[in-house]
Amino acid sequence: MSQTIASDTGHLDSLRVHAADNVRVALKDLPAGTEIDDDGQPFPLAEAIRHKHKFTITALEPGDTVIMYGVTVGRATRPIARGGAITTENTEHSTATTSPQARRGSWQAPDVSRFQDATFDGYHRPDGRVGTANVWLVVPLVFCENRNIEVLRQCIADALGEDPYRDYKRLARELLHGQASEEPVALPRERLFPNVDGVRFLTHTLGCGGTDADAQALCQLLAGYICHPNVAGATVLSLGCQKAQIEMLRSAVAERDPQGLRPVHYLEQQASISEEALIRQALTTIFDGLAEANRVERRPAPLSELVVGVECGGSDGFSGLSANPLVGAVVDRLVALGGSGILSEFPELCGVEHELIARCSDDAVAERFATLMDAYQQHAARVGADFSMNPSPGNIRDGLITDAMKSAGAAKKGGDSPVVDVLDYTEPLMRKGLNLLCTPGNDVESTTALAGSGANLILFTTGLGTPTGNPVTPVLKIASNSELALRMSDVIDFDAGPIIRGEASIDELADRLLELCIDAASGRYQPRAVGLAQYDFIPWKRGVSL
């Protein structure tokens, strides 16, 4: 799973990613008849090929395998002429994961000498971990408290003068009345809590009406957020009668914080004399918590304290060529510096399991990955689903025809370093280095899980564009192509497009992206998702979510 792909594209019209591939990727729209030079063997395109899509370099018959990134990504279902497009009409999902692969030996770490003494300015917690942000968290134990969470959200925004939707509210008034709002422009207030990044509010649809396992999983996830290094403390709202009880959450928090170093306030509505009393008490704990959190200031920390979760969403045919291997190169650099990465989305690792198993540090780690992956696939099959259903219409439209093709590119986000541990959903990261985390491919469910397992920074690649963020962990968005970076500049933080155009190498941009990570972790750069108050949180109800 080398990260050298696409680094020598130059100004080519198409690219063969791996020497073993029998397809090429169109780097721009190519008319039918375009002469293609494949390693000195010229041939004309049998049909027009859209940019990001793949075409064959040899004729394929039904049953023949389609190979990209050096792995099987599909199987031909009908004859495909040389220079013909790979489409959903002529190709279906197929993998060759049964092929054993020897455990890989030593890893060739990248040169990180320029970052050897680098630090980021973070929030040092009593348990020794370091946060990249400093927030107070407000959490509902059950969906019945979502309304009260929203009341608190609006009250806090008004009291602190930090309403992120102020400009949109003014726009709505102007549209309603057909004239410019006469409301005076409010002068920026002095921040009352300058060392705090804000109050974050979670809402969800769980906590009752499900199984005991659902309730336990929710409490474990919430505990991961409450004990997150970016969280100073939390206020928890409970109704009282729900399945996810306060004691369950207390126990889950105690597992992660056995010394009780994290302040957590538990409030129960059915034990309160009134809703007003509950809201008053909750506001009191929030403001007291903000005052306490404000006493912590950013101080230098080594890059070994960074835990970068990696995610992709709205992927396109260029994601596996530019943004994903770029993020993988950043993960490799961080691991070489003693830090950690977390690669999730198990449905999007389908077809490259053998490569990841070969990278596992020992047999126990390899066995856990294989066991969790197999259990996930079997559960999907029991309800009539399959990983092959993973690609979305947008993925397919922009060149990701099969799940295996999508997965082979998505796995590039994990770089090339050894896999030191495999985590099941909600489990916290314990070993520094590259970890695999069992989650769905659903963008927000996976991003939610990455933060819950301890990621204090998230790198999110996209080819089609997505605004996804997280309540406690800063999310940096990396575009696979420059057109997207320009068109959705309000949600994109970094452009990997120069890799596709041959204007910059993966290594060159990886150093720049790591520098941006350091700035974001230090509070010197505000990710677009944070500026937009895009705080998405969706727990995975442990069923099938592809």
Side-chain angles (χ1 to χ4, degrees):
M1 299 177 70
S2 169
Q3 300 306 308
T4 59
I5 63 168
S7 60
D8 57 351
T9 57
H11 294 284
L12 298 176
D13 293 339
S14 66
L15 170 72
R16 179 159 29 145
V17 180
H18 189 280
D21 293 356
N22 59 7
V23 298
R24 293 179 70 94
V25 186
L27 300 181
K28 64 180 183 180
D29 290 341
L30 301 175
T34 298
E35 187 87 349
I36 300 298
D37 183 358
D38 181 65
D39 197 22
Q41 300 293 320
F43 64 91
L45 287 180
E47 58 186 300
I49 307 294
R50 290 181 54 215
H51 73 298
K52 305 182 185 179
H53 284 255
K54 290 76 184 172
F55 59 89
T56 61
I57 60 176
T58 60
L60 299 181
E61 295 298 324
D64 287 350
T65 57
V66 177
I67 301 173
M68 186 175 176
Y69 301 104
V71 300
T72 298
V73 298
R75 179 174 56 240
T77 58
R78 61 178 65 173
I80 308 175
R82 186 184 195 187
I86 297 294
T87 69
T88 54
E89 285 73 36
N90 61 26
T91 304
E92 65 183 7
H93 169 82
S94 180
T95 67
T97 58
T98 56
S99 304
Q101 190 166 329
R103 185 66 48 75
R104 195 181 64 182
S106 60
W107 168 55
Q108 184 63 47
D111 179 11
V112 292
S113 54
R114 66 177 291 185
F115 295 100
Q116 204 64 58
D117 298 320
T119 61
F120 72 98
D121 294 329
Y123 295 97
H124 294 249
R125 303 301 181 189
D127 62 4
R129 294 185 298 164
V130 182
T132 62
N134 189 27
V135 304
W136 188 266
L137 193 62
V138 185
V139 178
L141 252 179
V142 62
F143 54 80
C144 308
E145 291 301 313
N146 283 349
R147 181 264 183 187
N148 288 333
I149 295 292
E150 185 57 33
V151 169
L152 293 170
R153 187 200 311 269
Q154 293 192 29
C155 290
I156 294 295
D158 185 66
L160 297 180
E162 297 177 354
D163 184 356
Y165 312 121
R166 182 186 299 108
D167 290 341
Y168 288 138
K169 291 177 180 178
R170 181 180 302 163
L171 173 62
R173 288 193 295 271
E174 291 175 3
L175 292 172
L176 175 64
H177 298 294
Q179 60 185 14
S181 173
E182 296 181 359
E183 177 186 336
V185 177
L187 295 176
R189 296 190 190 184
E190 180 182 355
R191 291 182 61 189
L192 297 176
F193 306 102
N195 295 323
V196 181
D197 294 293
V199 184
R200 301 287 186 264
F201 302 84
L202 307 185
T203 56
H204 56 79
T205 61
L206 303 180
C208 202
T211 66
D212 291 344
D214 290 335
Q216 288 286 358
L218 175 64
C219 288
Q220 290 292 336
L221 178 67
L222 294 179
Y225 273 69
I226 291 169
C227 298
H228 195 282
N230 291 358
V231 174
T235 297
V236 178
L237 296 191
S238 167
L239 179 61
C241 59
Q242 74 277 350
K243 192 156 261 184
Q245 289 285 296
I246 285 178
E247 286 310 311
M248 293 169 61
L249 181 56
R250 283 187 191 273
S251 176
V253 168
E255 290 177 16
R256 289 167 170 76
D257 181 22
Q259 296 179 278
L261 301 174
R262 191 67 47 93
V264 186
H265 305 278
Y266 299 91
L267 308 179
E268 188 171 295
Q269 185 169 9
Q270 289 173 346
S272 180
I273 60 173
S274 68
E275 179 195 286
E276 181 182 349
L278 176 74
I279 297 299
R280 175 183 291 274
Q281 190 176 6
L283 288 171
T284 299
T285 65
I286 293 169
F287 289 130
D288 288 347
L290 286 172
E292 185 173 349
N294 195 51
R295 298 189 184 99
V296 183
E297 298 182 358
R298 289 186 182 270
R299 292 189 288 111
L303 299 189
S304 58
E305 293 303 321
L306 284 180
V307 179
V308 173
V310 297
E311 177 71 21
C312 55
S315 299
D316 71 348
F318 286 163
S319 291
L321 306 180
S322 58
N324 290 349
L326 170 62
V327 165
V330 171
V331 170
D332 283 347
R333 282 159 171 71
L334 190 60
V335 170
L337 291 162
S340 302
I342 308 177
L343 174 65
S344 57
E345 301 179 287
F346 271 29
E348 297 183 11
L349 301 180
C350 179
V352 294
E353 297 98 326
H354 57 299
E355 294 194 4
L356 289 167
I357 286 173
R359 290 169 55 187
C360 288
S361 57
D362 57 48
D363 290 341
V365 173
E367 178 62 26
R368 185 142 206 254
F369 173 57
T371 298
L372 285 173
M373 179 67 89
D374 184 61
Y376 197 157
Q377 289 177 313
Q378 288 189 27
H379 185 72
R382 283 195 295 271
V383 296
D386 189 85
F387 284 179
S388 63
M389 299 175 178
N390 180 274
S392 70
N395 295 150
I396 295 169
R397 184 180 64 244
D398 268 47
L400 298 177
I401 303 303
T402 69
D403 180 60
M405 186 182 292
K406 182 178 180 182
S407 296
K412 299 297 179 184
K413 301 191 306 295
D416 202 40
S417 67
V419 176
V420 299
D421 205 359
V422 178
L423 310 174
D424 200 359
Y425 179 63
T426 76
E427 289 182 344
L429 181 140
M430 303 297 291
R431 300 179 189 172
K432 291 195 174 186
L434 178 63
N435 286 242
L436 304 182
L437 173 62
C438 183
T439 76
N442 178 297
D443 302 352
V444 178
E445 286 178 338
S446 180
T447 305
T448 296
L450 286 169
S453 288
N456 55 11
L457 194 66
I458 292 175
L459 297 182
F460 191 121
T461 67
T462 182
L464 304 177
T466 170
T468 303
N470 184 264
V472 303
T473 300
V475 177
L476 289 168
K477 221 66 63 52
I478 298 94
S480 73
N481 60 90
S482 298
E483 187 276 332
L484 170 65
L486 181 63
R487 177 168 44 85
M488 297 186 70
S489 60
D490 56 336
V491 302
I492 297 298
D493 297 282
F494 195 90
D495 178 17
I499 296 171
I500 296 295
R501 298 192 301 277
E503 296 172 1
S505 69
I506 288 175
D507 282 341
E508 179 184 352
L509 289 192
D511 284 347
R512 290 190 214 164
L513 181 53
L514 181 53
E515 290 170 352
L516 183 64
C517 289
I518 294 170
D519 285 343
S522 302
R524 294 189 292 269
Y525 174 81
Q526 184 184 69
R528 300 286 195 260
V530 176
L532 293 170
Q534 185 83 31
Y535 303 134
D536 302 302
F537 178 82
I538 302 179
W540 179 24
K541 193 171 189 281
R542 195 66 177 266
V544 176
S545 182
L546 299 177

PDB file of all heavy atoms in Angstrom, residues 17 38 45 73 89 128 144 190 198 211 216 227 285 288 291 306 343 354 398 414 434 444-445 464 476 538:
ATOM      1  N   VAL A  17      -2.278   3.237 -11.993  1.00  0.00           N
ATOM      2  CA  VAL A  17      -1.830   3.448 -10.618  1.00  0.00           C
ATOM      3  C   VAL A  17      -0.758   2.450 -10.220  1.00  0.00           C
ATOM      4  O   VAL A  17       0.237   2.803  -9.589  1.00  0.00           O
ATOM      5  CB  VAL A  17      -3.023   3.359  -9.649  1.00  0.00           C
ATOM      6  CG1 VAL A  17      -2.565   3.572  -8.217  1.00  0.00           C
ATOM      7  CG2 VAL A  17      -4.078   4.391 -10.020  1.00  0.00           C
ATOM      8  N   ASP A  38       0.086   3.281 -23.072  1.00  0.00           N
ATOM      9  CA  ASP A  38       0.211   2.521 -21.824  1.00  0.00           C
ATOM     10  C   ASP A  38       1.544   1.779 -21.829  1.00  0.00           C
ATOM     11  O   ASP A  38       1.678   0.715 -22.441  1.00  0.00           O
ATOM     12  CB  ASP A  38      -0.950   1.529 -21.683  1.00  0.00           C
ATOM     13  CG  ASP A  38      -0.875   0.738 -20.385  1.00  0.00           C
ATOM     14  OD1 ASP A  38      -0.998   1.360 -19.315  1.00  0.00           O
ATOM     15  OD2 ASP A  38      -0.670  -0.493 -20.457  1.00  0.00           O
ATOM     16  N   LEU A  45      -9.063   4.826 -27.458  1.00  0.00           N
ATOM     17  CA  LEU A  45     -10.214   4.594 -26.583  1.00  0.00           C
ATOM     18  C   LEU A  45     -11.404   4.132 -27.411  1.00  0.00           C
ATOM     19  O   LEU A  45     -11.716   4.703 -28.464  1.00  0.00           O
ATOM     20  CB  LEU A  45     -10.579   5.873 -25.826  1.00  0.00           C
ATOM     21  CG  LEU A  45      -9.651   6.306 -24.691  1.00  0.00           C
ATOM     22  CD1 LEU A  45     -10.164   7.596 -24.060  1.00  0.00           C
ATOM     23  CD2 LEU A  45      -9.522   5.215 -23.625  1.00  0.00           C
ATOM     24  N   VAL A  73     -10.656  -5.355  -7.765  1.00  0.00           N
ATOM     25  CA  VAL A  73     -11.689  -4.396  -7.372  1.00  0.00           C
ATOM     26  C   VAL A  73     -13.023  -4.674  -8.058  1.00  0.00           C
ATOM     27  O   VAL A  73     -13.997  -3.950  -7.871  1.00  0.00           O
ATOM     28  CB  VAL A  73     -11.254  -2.939  -7.657  1.00  0.00           C
ATOM     29  CG1 VAL A  73     -10.013  -2.586  -6.851  1.00  0.00           C
ATOM     30  CG2 VAL A  73     -11.015  -2.724  -9.151  1.00  0.00           C
ATOM     31  N   GLU A  89     -22.850  -1.301 -15.422  1.00  0.00           N
ATOM     32  CA  GLU A  89     -23.514  -2.212 -16.356  1.00  0.00           C
ATOM     33  C   GLU A  89     -22.626  -3.377 -16.770  1.00  0.00           C
ATOM     34  O   GLU A  89     -23.116  -4.428 -17.168  1.00  0.00           O
ATOM     35  CB  GLU A  89     -23.964  -1.457 -17.618  1.00  0.00           C
ATOM     36  CG  GLU A  89     -25.190  -0.587 -17.418  1.00  0.00           C
ATOM     37  CD  GLU A  89     -24.892   0.668 -16.615  1.00  0.00           C
ATOM     38  OE1 GLU A  89     -23.780   1.224 -16.788  1.00  0.00           O
ATOM     39  OE2 GLU A  89     -25.744   1.074 -15.807  1.00  0.00           O
ATOM     40  N   GLY A 128      -2.611  13.145  31.869  1.00  0.00           N
ATOM     41  CA  GLY A 128      -1.419  13.100  31.036  1.00  0.00           C
ATOM     42  C   GLY A 128      -1.670  13.298  29.562  1.00  0.00           C
ATOM     43  O   GLY A 128      -0.723  13.538  28.800  1.00  0.00           O
ATOM     44  N   CYS A 144     -35.283  11.874  25.065  1.00  0.00           N
ATOM     45  CA  CYS A 144     -36.317  12.696  25.708  1.00  0.00           C
ATOM     46  C   CYS A 144     -35.766  14.031  26.190  1.00  0.00           C
ATOM     47  O   CYS A 144     -36.534  14.981  26.403  1.00  0.00           O
ATOM     48  CB  CYS A 144     -36.916  11.950  26.903  1.00  0.00           C
ATOM     49  SG  CYS A 144     -37.496  10.298  26.525  1.00  0.00           S
ATOM     50  N   GLU A 190     -15.972  41.184  24.438  1.00  0.00           N
ATOM     51  CA  GLU A 190     -14.770  40.599  25.006  1.00  0.00           C
ATOM     52  C   GLU A 190     -15.113  39.179  25.457  1.00  0.00           C
ATOM     53  O   GLU A 190     -16.136  38.943  26.097  1.00  0.00           O
ATOM     54  CB  GLU A 190     -14.299  41.426  26.199  1.00  0.00           C
ATOM     55  CG  GLU A 190     -13.041  40.862  26.852  1.00  0.00           C
ATOM     56  CD  GLU A 190     -12.614  41.672  28.058  1.00  0.00           C
ATOM     57  OE1 GLU A 190     -13.249  42.718  28.328  1.00  0.00           O
ATOM     58  OE2 GLU A 190     -11.659  41.256  28.731  1.00  0.00           O
ATOM     59  N   GLY A 198     -15.541  26.860  23.785  1.00  0.00           N
ATOM     60  CA  GLY A 198     -16.989  26.921  23.726  1.00  0.00           C
ATOM     61  C   GLY A 198     -17.665  25.788  24.467  1.00  0.00           C
ATOM     62  O   GLY A 198     -17.017  24.938  25.091  1.00  0.00           O
ATOM     63  N   THR A 211     -32.160  -2.285  22.829  1.00  0.00           N
ATOM     64  CA  THR A 211     -31.683  -3.404  23.635  1.00  0.00           C
ATOM     65  C   THR A 211     -30.756  -2.917  24.742  1.00  0.00           C
ATOM     66  O   THR A 211     -30.299  -1.764  24.739  1.00  0.00           O
ATOM     67  CB  THR A 211     -30.909  -4.395  22.758  1.00  0.00           C
ATOM     68  OG1 THR A 211     -29.718  -3.758  22.274  1.00  0.00           O
ATOM     69  CG2 THR A 211     -31.756  -4.850  21.567  1.00  0.00           C
ATOM     70  N   GLN A 216     -25.783   0.137  26.571  1.00  0.00           N
ATOM     71  CA  GLN A 216     -24.396   0.051  27.015  1.00  0.00           C
ATOM     72  C   GLN A 216     -23.462   0.717  26.007  1.00  0.00           C
ATOM     73  O   GLN A 216     -22.534   1.443  26.392  1.00  0.00           O
ATOM     74  CB  GLN A 216     -23.994  -1.418  27.203  1.00  0.00           C
ATOM     75  CG  GLN A 216     -24.620  -2.090  28.417  1.00  0.00           C
ATOM     76  CD  GLN A 216     -23.990  -1.620  29.728  1.00  0.00           C
ATOM     77  OE1 GLN A 216     -23.053  -0.806  29.731  1.00  0.00           O
ATOM     78  NE2 GLN A 216     -24.516  -2.114  30.843  1.00  0.00           N
ATOM     79  N   CYS A 227     -14.683  11.918  28.616  1.00  0.00           N
ATOM     80  CA  CYS A 227     -13.291  11.775  29.052  1.00  0.00           C
ATOM     81  C   CYS A 227     -12.288  12.134  27.958  1.00  0.00           C
ATOM     82  O   CYS A 227     -11.094  11.853  28.095  1.00  0.00           O
ATOM     83  CB  CYS A 227     -13.052  10.341  29.522  1.00  0.00           C
ATOM     84  SG  CYS A 227     -14.068   9.860  30.932  1.00  0.00           S
ATOM     85  N   THR A 285     -24.208  24.636  36.397  1.00  0.00           N
ATOM     86  CA  THR A 285     -23.060  23.738  36.231  1.00  0.00           C
ATOM     87  C   THR A 285     -22.243  24.115  34.997  1.00  0.00           C
ATOM     88  O   THR A 285     -21.009  24.005  35.015  1.00  0.00           O
ATOM     89  CB  THR A 285     -23.516  22.272  36.108  1.00  0.00           C
ATOM     90  OG1 THR A 285     -24.272  22.088  34.905  1.00  0.00           O
ATOM     91  CG2 THR A 285     -24.357  21.849  37.297  1.00  0.00           C
ATOM     92  N   ASP A 288     -20.242  27.363  35.864  1.00  0.00           N
ATOM     93  CA  ASP A 288     -19.168  26.988  36.799  1.00  0.00           C
ATOM     94  C   ASP A 288     -18.085  26.196  36.071  1.00  0.00           C
ATOM     95  O   ASP A 288     -16.884  26.384  36.309  1.00  0.00           O
ATOM     96  CB  ASP A 288     -19.729  26.158  37.955  1.00  0.00           C
ATOM     97  CG  ASP A 288     -20.555  26.986  38.927  1.00  0.00           C
ATOM     98  OD1 ASP A 288     -20.494  28.236  38.853  1.00  0.00           O
ATOM     99  OD2 ASP A 288     -21.265  26.387  39.758  1.00  0.00           O
ATOM    100  N   ALA A 291     -15.854  28.459  33.956  1.00  0.00           N
ATOM    101  CA  ALA A 291     -14.890  29.181  34.792  1.00  0.00           C
ATOM    102  C   ALA A 291     -13.718  28.272  35.157  1.00  0.00           C
ATOM    103  O   ALA A 291     -12.552  28.702  35.154  1.00  0.00           O
ATOM    104  CB  ALA A 291     -15.584  29.705  36.050  1.00  0.00           C
ATOM    105  N   LEU A 306      -0.460  13.795  19.523  1.00  0.00           N
ATOM    106  CA  LEU A 306      -1.547  13.919  18.553  1.00  0.00           C
ATOM    107  C   LEU A 306      -2.093  12.538  18.188  1.00  0.00           C
ATOM    108  O   LEU A 306      -1.332  11.593  17.957  1.00  0.00           O
ATOM    109  CB  LEU A 306      -1.060  14.619  17.285  1.00  0.00           C
ATOM    110  CG  LEU A 306      -0.866  16.131  17.352  1.00  0.00           C
ATOM    111  CD1 LEU A 306      -0.381  16.661  16.012  1.00  0.00           C
ATOM    112  CD2 LEU A 306      -2.162  16.830  17.755  1.00  0.00           C
ATOM    113  N   LEU A 343      -7.663   4.489  11.680  1.00  0.00           N
ATOM    114  CA  LEU A 343      -8.340   4.237  10.405  1.00  0.00           C
ATOM    115  C   LEU A 343      -9.608   3.441  10.692  1.00  0.00           C
ATOM    116  O   LEU A 343      -9.542   2.364  11.289  1.00  0.00           O
ATOM    117  CB  LEU A 343      -7.418   3.458   9.470  1.00  0.00           C
ATOM    118  CG  LEU A 343      -8.019   2.974   8.141  1.00  0.00           C
ATOM    119  CD1 LEU A 343      -8.403   4.161   7.256  1.00  0.00           C
ATOM    120  CD2 LEU A 343      -7.035   2.058   7.408  1.00  0.00           C
ATOM    121  N   HIS A 354      -6.217  -8.481   3.351  1.00  0.00           N
ATOM    122  CA  HIS A 354      -4.966  -9.236   3.374  1.00  0.00           C
ATOM    123  C   HIS A 354      -3.758  -8.312   3.511  1.00  0.00           C
ATOM    124  O   HIS A 354      -2.782  -8.657   4.180  1.00  0.00           O
ATOM    125  CB  HIS A 354      -4.841 -10.099   2.119  1.00  0.00           C
ATOM    126  CG  HIS A 354      -4.916  -9.340   0.839  1.00  0.00           C
ATOM    127  ND1 HIS A 354      -6.024  -8.604   0.466  1.00  0.00           N
ATOM    128  CD2 HIS A 354      -4.014  -9.195  -0.172  1.00  0.00           C
ATOM    129  CE1 HIS A 354      -5.801  -8.037  -0.709  1.00  0.00           C
ATOM    130  NE2 HIS A 354      -4.598  -8.369  -1.116  1.00  0.00           N
ATOM    131  N   ASP A 398     -19.080   9.559  -9.938  1.00  0.00           N
ATOM    132  CA  ASP A 398     -17.751  10.144 -10.082  1.00  0.00           C
ATOM    133  C   ASP A 398     -16.646   9.095 -10.093  1.00  0.00           C
ATOM    134  O   ASP A 398     -15.516   9.374  -9.690  1.00  0.00           O
ATOM    135  CB  ASP A 398     -17.507  11.180  -8.977  1.00  0.00           C
ATOM    136  CG  ASP A 398     -17.921  12.573  -9.425  1.00  0.00           C
ATOM    137  OD1 ASP A 398     -19.034  12.695  -9.976  1.00  0.00           O
ATOM    138  OD2 ASP A 398     -17.146  13.523  -9.243  1.00  0.00           O
ATOM    139  N   GLY A 414      -4.743   5.170   5.631  1.00  0.00           N
ATOM    140  CA  GLY A 414      -4.010   4.578   6.743  1.00  0.00           C
ATOM    141  C   GLY A 414      -2.515   4.543   6.549  1.00  0.00           C
ATOM    142  O   GLY A 414      -1.798   4.013   7.411  1.00  0.00           O
ATOM    143  N   LEU A 434      -0.537   3.247  14.486  1.00  0.00           N
ATOM    144  CA  LEU A 434      -1.741   3.127  13.677  1.00  0.00           C
ATOM    145  C   LEU A 434      -2.688   2.092  14.267  1.00  0.00           C
ATOM    146  O   LEU A 434      -2.322   0.943  14.477  1.00  0.00           O
ATOM    147  CB  LEU A 434      -1.390   2.736  12.243  1.00  0.00           C
ATOM    148  CG  LEU A 434      -2.591   2.529  11.310  1.00  0.00           C
ATOM    149  CD1 LEU A 434      -3.377   3.826  11.143  1.00  0.00           C
ATOM    150  CD2 LEU A 434      -2.143   1.988   9.963  1.00  0.00           C
ATOM    151  N   VAL A 444     -20.773  10.391   9.294  1.00  0.00           N
ATOM    152  CA  VAL A 444     -20.919  10.986  10.626  1.00  0.00           C
ATOM    153  C   VAL A 444     -20.848   9.918  11.711  1.00  0.00           C
ATOM    154  O   VAL A 444     -20.258  10.150  12.775  1.00  0.00           O
ATOM    155  CB  VAL A 444     -22.225  11.789  10.724  1.00  0.00           C
ATOM    156  CG1 VAL A 444     -22.395  12.366  12.118  1.00  0.00           C
ATOM    157  CG2 VAL A 444     -22.228  12.921   9.693  1.00  0.00           C
ATOM    158  N   GLU A 445     -21.424   8.728  11.469  1.00  0.00           N
ATOM    159  CA  GLU A 445     -21.295   7.664  12.466  1.00  0.00           C
ATOM    160  C   GLU A 445     -19.825   7.315  12.690  1.00  0.00           C
ATOM    161  O   GLU A 445     -19.392   7.099  13.824  1.00  0.00           O
ATOM    162  CB  GLU A 445     -22.061   6.426  12.011  1.00  0.00           C
ATOM    163  CG  GLU A 445     -23.575   6.556  12.123  1.00  0.00           C
ATOM    164  CD  GLU A 445     -24.313   5.339  11.634  1.00  0.00           C
ATOM    165  OE1 GLU A 445     -23.745   4.561  10.834  1.00  0.00           O
ATOM    166  OE2 GLU A 445     -25.473   5.156  12.035  1.00  0.00           O
ATOM    167  N   LEU A 464     -16.406  15.051  -3.516  1.00  0.00           N
ATOM    168  CA  LEU A 464     -17.659  15.679  -3.935  1.00  0.00           C
ATOM    169  C   LEU A 464     -18.055  16.835  -3.039  1.00  0.00           C
ATOM    170  O   LEU A 464     -18.846  17.687  -3.433  1.00  0.00           O
ATOM    171  CB  LEU A 464     -18.783  14.638  -3.950  1.00  0.00           C
ATOM    172  CG  LEU A 464     -18.520  13.402  -4.810  1.00  0.00           C
ATOM    173  CD1 LEU A 464     -19.664  12.401  -4.684  1.00  0.00           C
ATOM    174  CD2 LEU A 464     -18.316  13.792  -6.255  1.00  0.00           C
ATOM    175  N   LEU A 476     -10.421  18.745   9.830  1.00  0.00           N
ATOM    176  CA  LEU A 476      -9.854  19.413   8.663  1.00  0.00           C
ATOM    177  C   LEU A 476     -10.320  18.685   7.418  1.00  0.00           C
ATOM    178  O   LEU A 476     -10.206  17.461   7.315  1.00  0.00           O
ATOM    179  CB  LEU A 476      -8.325  19.393   8.725  1.00  0.00           C
ATOM    180  CG  LEU A 476      -7.673  20.297   9.775  1.00  0.00           C
ATOM    181  CD1 LEU A 476      -6.203  19.955   9.929  1.00  0.00           C
ATOM    182  CD2 LEU A 476      -7.843  21.762   9.409  1.00  0.00           C
ATOM    183  N   ILE A 538     -23.662  11.345  15.521  1.00  0.00           N
ATOM    184  CA  ILE A 538     -24.628  10.272  15.307  1.00  0.00           C
ATOM    185  C   ILE A 538     -24.037   8.968  15.840  1.00  0.00           C
ATOM    186  O   ILE A 538     -23.106   8.410  15.241  1.00  0.00           O
ATOM    187  CB  ILE A 538     -24.990  10.093  13.817  1.00  0.00           C
ATOM    188  CG1 ILE A 538     -25.567  11.388  13.247  1.00  0.00           C
ATOM    189  CG2 ILE A 538     -25.996   8.956  13.653  1.00  0.00           C
ATOM    190  CD1 ILE A 538     -25.934  11.282  11.772  1.00  0.00           C
TER     191      ILE A 538
END
